Structure formats: C-alpha cells, structure tokens
Amino acid sequence: MHKLLKKNDTIKSKDIEEVVVLGYNRTLTKPKDVSANTTVNAEVLENRPNVSFLNSLQGSAPGVTIASNSGSPGSAKIDLVIRGISSLSADTEPLVIIDGVPTGANQFRNLNSEDIESISILRDAAATSIYGNRGANGVLLIRTKGGKFNSKLRLSYSTMTGVSVMPKNKYNMANAQQLLRIQKNNNQTSLTGGKLTDEEIANYPINTNWEKTFFKADVTQQHNVSATFGGENTSVYSSLGYLEQGGLVPNTNFKRFTFRNNITGRSADKRFNYTAIVGLGYSARKQLNQESNSGINGNYVQNPLIGSFLALPYIASGQYANGRDLFNAIGTNSGAEGNFAYILEDVLRGDQSVFGRFNETSIFTNVTTSYKLTDDFTLNNRTGVDVKIGNSMAGRNPNGYLSLVVAATNGTEYGGSETIGNSRELNFTTVSSVNYNKVLGDHTIGVGAYLEYNKVHFYSSSQTQNGLDPRSFAIGSGVGYIAFDPVRNIYLPSVSAFKATAGSLSYFATADYDYKDKYGFSGTLRRDGSYRFAPGNKWGTFWSVGGRWNIDKENFMQGSIFDMLKLRASYGTQGNANVIAAGDDTNPMLLGTGITRDLNVVGNGYSNTSGYFVSNIANPTLRWEEVKQTNFGLDFKLFKNRLEGNFDVYRKDTDMLYYNIPSSAITSQYTYRGNYGALKNEGFEAVLRYNIFNKSDYKLTIFANGSYNKNTIKKLSIPVSTGSLLLVEGGSINEWNLVPYLGVNPNNGNELYLDSNGNVSEQALDKDRRKTGKNYFPKYTGGFGFNSEYKGFFLDALFSFQAKFWRSDNQLAWALNPSYMRAGNNVSADLLNAWTPTNTNTDIPSLNAPMSSITDRLLYDASFLRMKNVTLGYNVPKKFFNEKSILKAARIFVQGENIFTWTKWRGYDPEGLGTFPLSVYPNPRTFSIGANLDF
C-alpha cells in the first residue's frame, strides 16, 4: 500500500503520539516539532521493482524532485534535488544518512528497500542546520528495520516476479517504404531509395524494426526472507535478499545479494541501551559503455541507444553470426550504407564483443550505545563504518568486429583491449554526545552537546591491456595478453592509480524548550572544520532557531473542529563544503583536494619541447558556500483526525557561490574558482491526506502533495550571456536563450524566425537569440493517489507529476534533419510531409531547406503526469489461520510501475534534468505479481 505520510506519520494508532525522527537520534512528538520534514514509511517502498529506493520515492514527498536519467539496471544516474538547485557548480545532492552514518556515494544500489523502515526528508534550517557544512541541500534520514522486545519469532517471505517492457516514443520513425520514399523525394540517387521505382518501393520485401532488435522485454524478480524476535532485553531483525533485473538492451542486467542483521539490546535496569547493525551487499551488473562514457552518446556505430533510431529499416537483421563473419563480409567499410546496424548487432553480443562488467561489495557496520547517568543525563555514542569495494572489467573482445577493425587499421595481428579497475572506499564516522532532559512543572527543557569526526579513505587503480589473443582470452583472468612489442611500439599497456584521504571535525549543541505543550523553541549551533580549505578558512559556524505555537491548545479553541493546529517558523544557515559537483558513483568529499594549492604539471610546449605549466593557482581564501533559509509552516488535523496536512512557505538564499572569478591573463588562466555570487530559491509546499472511510470492512484514503519552486540568480561575477543556456543576474539557472521559430515559409519551404528587431527572417543569427524565461528544472512537482480496501481486497495507486520545465529534444533534431537521411540514416516519417511546391501548408520545412540549431523549434514543455504505481491485491482473512497454523498471514498482489505517462514530450521519457538528451536508456514499464507470507 502506498501511503504518503505527513510529518513522520508512522504510527497507526491515534492513541499514541506520533514521533518525529530528527538528526543524531533526536526525537520529538509530532505536535512539538518545529521543523519542515516528511516521512515516507516502508509501505511505500516494499514490493516495488526498483533497484534504488529513490525511484520509489518519486511523487511521495513535497519539495523533492527525483529524476531518473537512465533505465539501465543498477544505474546511479538519478537526480535528487530538495527545494531547488542551490548552487551553480558545487554539489547539489542532499546528504543521505543511513542509521546515523553518512553514505559515501550518491548511489544506493546495494541497499535493499525491503530493509527500510522509514525515510525522513529534512527540508528547512530547523531540521538541517544541525548538519552544518553538509546540510545545504537537504538531508535524507534512512532507518532500517528492527525487532521488538518480548515478541515471538516471526518469519516472513516476500517474492515478486515481473517483466519490464519498453515505453513508447512518438518520433514516428520511418519504416522501409517511408524511408525509401523520402530518399527518392530528395533525389538521393546514391542511396537505395533514389534508385528504385515507385512500384519497387511499394513492394520492397524487407522492413526491419531495429527497435525490436536492439531492445527486448526482460524479467525482473526478487526474493526476501526476514526473521524478527525479541526477549526481555534483546531483539533481532535479520534478512536475506536477492534481486535480479534484466535490461531492455540485450546483455545489460543487474543482480544483487543482501544480508542485514540489526540487534537491539538493553540492560536489566534499562539504563544502558545498544544497537549493533551489520549490512552486507554484493551486486553485479552488465551495462553499456555509454552508461559511464558520455563520449559515445552520439556514436551510432557503438551505441544501440541511438543506433536503433538511425539504422536503416530496409536492410535485414541477423545476417552475421559473429564479429569475424561481419568483418569478412564488410572489412573496414563500416561507413557503407547501413553497415553500422550490423556492427551494433555485434556490439550487443556483450562478452563476445564489447563488454562491461561491474561488481560492488558493500559492508556497513554501526554500533550505537547510550547510558543514562541519571534520569536527566544520558551519554551517547554512535560509530559506523561504510565500506565499498568495486571491481570492473570493460573492453573489447578480440573476436568482436570493432577489435578486428582496429587491428586491421593499425596493421597489427591482434586487436581487443581490456581495462580492469579496482577501488576501495572507507567512510568512518563517530559521534559522541551528552544530553540533558528535564521537566519542571509546565516547562520542558532539552539540551545536547555533540562531537563528530568523519574520515574517508579512497584508493583506485586501473590497468589496460591492448592486444588480446582470441584463442585464450578470458574476461578478467589476465589470460591471453599479448606482450608489448618495443620494436614496432604496439600492444603498449597502461596503468594508473589514485589515492585520497578526506576528513572533517565538528562540535555542536542543541536546545529545545516547551511550555505547556503550547509554545516551543528549538535551536542549534554548530562549528565545522574541513580538510579541503586552507588555514584561516577551515572552520565555519552554522546555526538555526525555530519556534511553534500550538494554537489548538489555547482555551479559545475548545470545541473546534481542529484536533491539531500548529504554526511554526524557522531561520538558519547551512553550508555546502562539497564545492566540486560529484559525478555518478562518486563521493563528493573526495573531490577538490588541491583547489587551495598551487599545482604545476609537466607537458609539451612550443615546438613540442618539454615544459612546466601552471595547472592551478591557489585560492587560500576559498570557503564553502552558505545557505540561509527562512520557513513558515502550518500543520493541522481536523474532523477527528480524518483530514490532516501541512503547508510550508520558504526562501533559500545561497551566498558565496563557488564559481568563476576574473583573473589576469598573465597568469595563463583567465579565470579561477572562488566564492562570489548569490542565488535564491523560493517556493511553497503542501500535503493533504483525507480518510474518507475507515470501517472494519472498507477503507478509503486519498492523499496529495505538491510544491512550487523558483530560482533566481542574484549576483554573478562572470555571467554566461551567450549560447543556448544563460547564467545572468535576474534570470534563472540555465535559462534557454534561443531564436523564436515561426514555422515554414509557404513560398519556398524555408524555416522562418523572428529576428532581434521583431522582423520575420529566414536566417537565425546569434544576435537574434533572446531569453525565454524557461529552464529545465521543474517548477511544480508532486504526487497524489489513494489507498482503498474492501473485505481483504485492496487497490492502491500513486501518480507523480513534474511541470513547467523545458527540454530541447536533441534526438528529435536528428530525426527531423534531412542531412541525416542523406548520410544514410533513418529519419522520422514526418519528413514525408515536407514542403514541396504542391504541399505548401505544412510545418515541415523543405528537404533542402537550411536548418538552424539555435531556435526554439524543438524546445518542448516536458511536463508529465505519470501513473507511477498501481497495486491490486488480497489479504487473506485472519479467520483462515490459527495458533497452530504454520502460515500466519498471506498477501498476494499484482502491480504495475511506470504504467502510463501523459506528456507532450515525444521521446521515451520526459524525466531527467539534462539539457540536450541523446542516447537515453529508457526507464522501463514493469508489470509484476508477488506475495508476502508470514510464518
């Protein structure tokens, strides 16, 4: 069941105060919380066919934008933004804490969603300032499941099997007859269509759908076994999990094994408490080289994601059994008409051609202890270690076509290459605190003092072998390597290594005060030190204050319809020490290790002579970015808790932006990176949940959340005032700057544009560009749905939406460009409606018309509404089970993920915060069946 919970609504009983979980193990009852946060519970995440829990979060919380940029199984290309983009070039991912330990990388492929109890999303300063120089982009607190004291052994098994299928696109790519007709219409006598008669085109015998060749449906499945039990002073939660997800592209897939053991205990007098957590994960994935190498995004010879669009439908697939057969047939003539499609078929043979294997082992351990010195004073410590070990094997099999071509071109006997990479990352965190809590009549006081230390160690190495013997080569074994030939200087291997150590130290204090449950105040003060910055700027101070007024506790509210009515406000500062934006699978804390140091490199200069060059000019004044945030919120429950919700209004100002600052050219560098500039994000968030029916036999609840965000650049030293994307004061981040497209000239078929003087022109010039007021960050995000149940049957639905963002469709630009047809590629059948002297009323220019790439012709409103998840199932009534039954409960269900998407976007998926999407691995539609059994 999908339940969007407002403000950590994790407890179903209305007789128990709901508990809000904040940072560093701090908890408050819901009426006493002053911060803006939302908690999504386990029911939203369970039984979803997603490798990462982030995909399941989309549409489930206000103020959170989640966009998956790749459907490749196990991909880390998922954008997560809370309350807008707060930086131009620094990292914008929120801080993610798992059981009190910050994660090292912005991917979660080895975390089993079935082990998650709840996810708290902290948004305002009252909630995030406690994290100091890491809390500027918001915080996600993930709690994994645990056992309960004095509980019987409970065994649970959940299983799910499904199939992932391709979404649809609206590019209207031409079939064989259509493409041949377009070629003939354009008099392309060097291509097949230009050589055929009308009758031959109409009766052409081959019509290959290359999308079906390069993509396929595949199976996804998962199995999870868990056990919970507890004695008087000890409880245990243990789980084993397996997940397998096939890829839409052949030879791409993901497999994962997980194990978790969470133990909670206490002393007989209950003064000493502890939790010990161990989480293990191992994953193996196969992926396209395009996933980590954007350089081949536009290379249709090596990339099936774009080749499926461009391959010629009038040639037959499956003509060659392997790369050697293909090479024997076409040799090095890869550019001949249609040949690249056969090369792509060979590329998709994976291990037999182009391979990419990536394995990851993760080890997560965490020990938390607390001891009550007195009834008021408690000592606490949490120490955790998060280890990630990665291994990769990528390259080209010597029997693959591309290897054979490279060998033939270079005049060598052996082709092929293999790169083996290894990485180790250790994140260590320890937090010690002393907390004081006291009730003095109508007054409640809470004070805490904390000390935190973080350390990260990272090491990676890589070796590449060029030249592989096809008779003995085996992936990753080191067998079949050809020795370096110094005479001919061929088969030269290469090696590389990287090592980094990072750390931070923090001390901080918290204070909470409550009077008669009516008025409350909360504050934090934190001092942070980071290894990244030079002496004098290593330390910074961050703080927040927040207050609330529980209006429903006032005498004048007696007898009102409100069960809770709370007004709250907060203001504070957070920092962003991760001034270098991290890529996928990268820990931002490890980047920018030398930005405050003078760095020189050796290289070749004039006349190819060796030289010594400046690569970085030290900026000892560099410091972290600082965010100041103001928030006003209103929480409410009314009609006997049937209707509940909250509203928040915020403004988030980023100062000391890490960006370009002018530098004298005498230094050989025209700019350097420093702190200058400011931007703001401001917006509104809302959550509503209404229990329409809540009877024993039938229940119906509807819920919705939505948010609005607008960003504005307030100050910038070096604006970007030219090109397609602008960064200028007063504008938004990456505002589209394009020439207005007016349509097709009915007299000659040329494109028409609006020039800078307001005149119609057939020529688009840079001076004619203008601000559009549009960018590719959604202004509106959210979700809505319902939970329903009738006599054991249940139907739940979750819809997500993102609106008011614009993307330029680069894929469509290729499909509508006749020059790609003339180069021997497929194009959209829309070109059949191109302007001709007898077809003048059309929006498709003449096939020979010049085309501009700087107009808004293909700038689309990518807003979408998605049926994110629908689940239909049946809970077997308890009357069928008794104390002697082995099976205690059963639940069966069918579900769909990413079922329908309503959008103007013509591609597979409008999702993503990119600029010019090309070669996007589609996010699949998944249909599955499953069951949950308790023993």
Side-chain angles (χ1 to χ4, degrees), residues 98-103 275 277 363-369 381-387 426-431 452-456:
I98 301 177
D99 290 324
V101 178
T103 63
T275 300
I277 296 175
I363 305 170
F364 180 93
T365 62
N366 177 18
V367 176
T368 302
T369 59
N381 177 267
R382 170 174 280 155
T383 299
V385 175
D386 184 16
V387 178
L426 183 149
N427 293 266
F428 172 83
T429 300
T430 183
V431 182
E452 179 178 12
Y453 175 67
N454 294 281
K455 195 75 172 180
V456 183

Side-chain angles (χ1 to χ4, degrees), residues 784-837:
F784 59 89
F786 62 84
N787 308 122
S788 63
E789 186 176 346
Y790 180 73
K791 294 186 177 181
F793 290 94
F794 60 88
L795 175 63
D796 303 323
L798 172 66
F799 294 81
S800 64
F801 66 87
Q802 296 178 11
K804 291 298 180 183
F805 68 109
W806 286 262
R807 306 176 73 195
S808 184
D809 195 338
N810 208 20
Q811 188 78 68
L812 184 59
W814 288 37
L816 291 180
N817 193 332
S819 66
Y820 284 89
M821 173 270 297
R822 292 190 284 269
N825 302 309
N826 195 16
V827 289
S828 172
D830 290 3
L831 295 185
L832 287 171
N833 192 34
W835 181 95
T836 66

Side-chain angles (χ1 to χ4, degrees), residues 51 108 427 436 445 498 620 705 805 909:
V51 172
F108 311 98
N427 293 266
Y436 172 79
I445 300 172
F498 174 77
N705 76 85
F805 68 109
D909 197 337

